[in-house]
Amino acid sequence: MKIKKMMMVALTALMLPAFGWSQEEENDVYVELEADVVSSYIWNGQDLGGMSLQPSLTVGWKDLWFNVWGSAAIATDNHREIDLSLGYDRGNFSFAVTDYWFLGD
C-alpha cells in the first residue's frame, strides 16, 4: 500500500508544475491558486512532516489580499498546518496579519 501511495505522490509531483492558475487585471479582483510538493517541510530547523503537499489560495482586490496556505505531510497523518493571512501592499509598504494553526507532534 505504501508503494502505491508513493507512486501517486510522484505522479502528482510530475503534474503539479503545469498546475497553477492566476487571474489579475489592474484595479480588479484577482485570484491565484498554487500547489507545491516538497521533499521535506523544514521550519526553524525542525522537520515537520517529510514529503508534503502545500497548496495556496490568494484572493485580492486592488491593494488588499487574503491568503490561505497549507501544508500536509503525505506519508503520515500527524503534521498539518493552515495559515490565514490578510494583507495590504502599497508601493514599498506592506502590512499583513497571519494566524498560524498547526497540528503535529
Side-chain angles (χ1 to χ4, degrees):
M1 184 67 168
K2 190 172 184 176
I3 292 174
K4 284 184 182 180
K5 194 174 194 179
M6 292 304 287
M7 288 182 68
M8 283 299 282
V9 169
L11 287 172
T12 302
L14 289 173
M15 293 185 307
L16 281 179
F19 175 71
W21 181 70
S22 178
Q23 175 186 358
E24 183 172 355
E25 292 183 23
E26 194 167 329
N27 297 326
D28 204 1
V29 174
Y30 64 91
V31 176
E32 297 174 354
L33 178 63
E34 302 172 342
D36 295 315
V37 174
V38 296
S39 60
S40 61
Y41 177 37
I42 307 295
W43 184 77
N44 282 347
Q46 301 174 44
D47 184 354
L48 297 179
M51 184 177 274
S52 300
L53 176 63
Q54 297 180 338
S56 175
L57 172 67
T58 303
V59 177
W61 177 69
K62 296 188 179 184
D63 299 325
L64 187 65
W65 53 267
F66 176 74
N67 175 265
V68 178
W69 179 88
S71 183
I74 295 172
T76 63
D77 291 333
N78 60 346
H79 288 91
R80 293 189 185 104
E81 179 179 348
I82 297 175
D83 302 346
L84 304 174
S85 300
L86 179 64
Y88 178 81
D89 298 327
R90 181 72 171 200
N92 291 331
F93 176 77
S94 294
F95 178 79
V97 176
T98 302
D99 180 33
Y100 299 96
W101 178 83
F102 182 76
L103 171 68
D105 295 338

